[in-house]
Amino acid sequence: VRGRCRGRCGAGAGLRVAMPGAVRTLCLAALLGALRAGGTELTLELPDSAQRCFHQELESGVKFTLDYQVISGGHYDVDCYVEDPNGKTIYQETKKQYDSFSHHTGAKGVYTFCFSNEFSTFSHKIVYFDFQVGDEPPILPDMNNRVTALTQLESACVTIHEMLKAVIDSQTHYRLREAQDRSRAEELNGRVSYWSVGETLILFVVSIGQVVLLKSFFTEKRPSSSGAGT
């Protein structure tokens, strides 16, 4: 999962640039437009002994990236594989907790990526994945073809854009960690509760057994009637 700060991510790395209202609006629109890269984020439930597949039609020569992480269930592992339109497996990993895979398509067609929990017979998994297609477009027109230096406003837009990307990555990273930690805490709480109930039952059984045993020690046996007659 991408959750790292790149460059200046602290609060002290502030930018003081005076921007007119219209220019500020255009800059914000460019930033938001650049942040909307083609891709999908999804959290799915994966029952035991089950498999879930997704399909995406892609052009030739396009780069795509698949990031995934198991949030809860079992040992937090899952099988994953990716197939090209010809049915060839271009990526395959077994029992992975998280991973990232990038690939440039060699043929046009439908690409398939699947998550499998077939190796588990009772563990229910929750899996998060992020599927991104293509490279991120430049936030400014003709930015890659320019021969002159960026203006102060353009440099500010680029810096803000990088900071926003770092914030988005950090938020995703911490959301996944929080969900995973909550799942582990709930699982631990369930185990502690079951163990406490078991100890309580054992304590009652032992207490009743001790009472019965002590009572048998102090029970006076009366002589039989036949013995009294003789």
Side-chain angles (χ1 to χ4, degrees), residues 133-191:
V133 180
D135 295 323
E136 182 180 342
I139 64 173
L140 299 174
D142 300 330
M143 182 176 174
N144 296 331
N145 301 324
R146 296 189 57 172
V147 294
T148 58
L150 297 177
T151 64
Q152 186 178 10
L153 175 59
E154 292 170 342
S155 299
C157 290
V158 173
T159 303
I160 295 173
H161 174 65
E162 293 297 328
M163 290 181 177
L164 288 176
K165 285 199 304 181
V167 169
I168 292 175
D169 289 343
S170 298
Q171 287 179 339
T172 302
H173 174 69
Y174 288 122
R175 278 199 304 266
L176 293 177
R177 287 194 59 182
E178 189 272 336
Q180 191 176 65
D181 293 343
R182 187 194 309 121
S183 175
R184 289 179 176 175
E186 291 176 353
E187 182 181 358
L188 181 60
N189 179 64
R191 291 182 179 181

Side-chain angles (χ1 to χ4, degrees), residues 32-216:
L32 295 178
L35 287 176
R36 291 194 296 266
T40 301
E41 292 183 76
L42 186 64
T43 302
L44 62 103
E45 295 185 2
L46 194 59
D48 52 280
S49 303
Q51 178 176 285
R52 295 286 185 270
C53 292
F54 300 86
H55 310 275
Q56 178 66 44
E57 184 174 1
L58 300 174
E59 298 292 333
S60 176
V62 176
K63 178 185 176 182
F64 69 86
T65 302
L66 174 64
D67 297 331
Y68 64 91
Q69 178 175 343
V70 181
I71 299 176
S72 67
H75 296 287
Y76 300 88
D77 52 358
V78 70
D79 295 345
C80 180
Y81 67 89
V82 181
E83 291 184 351
D84 64 7
N86 300 322
K88 179 182 177 181
T89 302
I90 57 179
Y91 170 82
Q92 184 173 11
E93 290 290 345
T94 58
K95 296 185 178 181
K96 295 284 289 188
Q97 294 184 351
Y98 58 89
D99 202 6
S100 178
F101 171 69
S102 298
H103 180 73
H104 283 84
T105 59
K108 177 182 179 181
V110 177
Y111 285 76
T112 303
F113 59 98
C114 299
F115 299 99
S116 174
N117 193 31
E118 295 176 333
F119 61 88
S120 178
T121 56
F122 57 88
S123 296
H124 184 92
K125 308 287 179 62
I126 297 180
V127 181
Y128 162 86
F129 73 87
D130 181 10
F131 186 75
Q132 298 291 334
V133 180
D135 295 323
E136 182 180 342
I139 64 173
L140 299 174
D142 300 330
M143 182 176 174
N144 296 331
N145 301 324
R146 296 189 57 172
V147 294
T148 58
L150 297 177
T151 64
Q152 186 178 10
L153 175 59
E154 292 170 342
S155 299
C157 290
V158 173
T159 303
I160 295 173
H161 174 65
E162 293 297 328
M163 290 181 177
L164 288 176
K165 285 199 304 181
V167 169
I168 292 175
D169 289 343
S170 298
Q171 287 179 339
T172 302
H173 174 69
Y174 288 122
R175 278 199 304 266
L176 293 177
R177 287 194 59 182
E178 189 272 336
Q180 191 176 65
D181 293 343
R182 187 194 309 121
S183 175
R184 289 179 176 175
E186 291 176 353
E187 182 181 358
L188 181 60
N189 179 64
R191 291 182 179 181
V192 171
S193 299
Y194 289 137
W195 181 257
S196 300
V197 171
E199 284 186 330
T200 303
L201 293 177
I202 293 174
L203 181 62
F204 275 117
V205 171
V206 171
S207 301
I208 294 174
Q210 287 179 344
V211 171
V212 173
L213 184 62
L214 289 175
K215 188 176 180 181
S216 65

Side-chain angles (χ1 to χ4, degrees), residues 5-41:
C5 262
R6 304 181 186 88
R8 298 176 298 172
C9 301
L15 222 359
R16 303 271 191 298
V17 179
M19 300 185 186
V23 176
R24 184 168 58 247
T25 303
L26 290 176
C27 183
L28 181 60
L31 290 172
L32 295 178
L35 287 176
R36 291 194 296 266
T40 301
E41 292 183 76

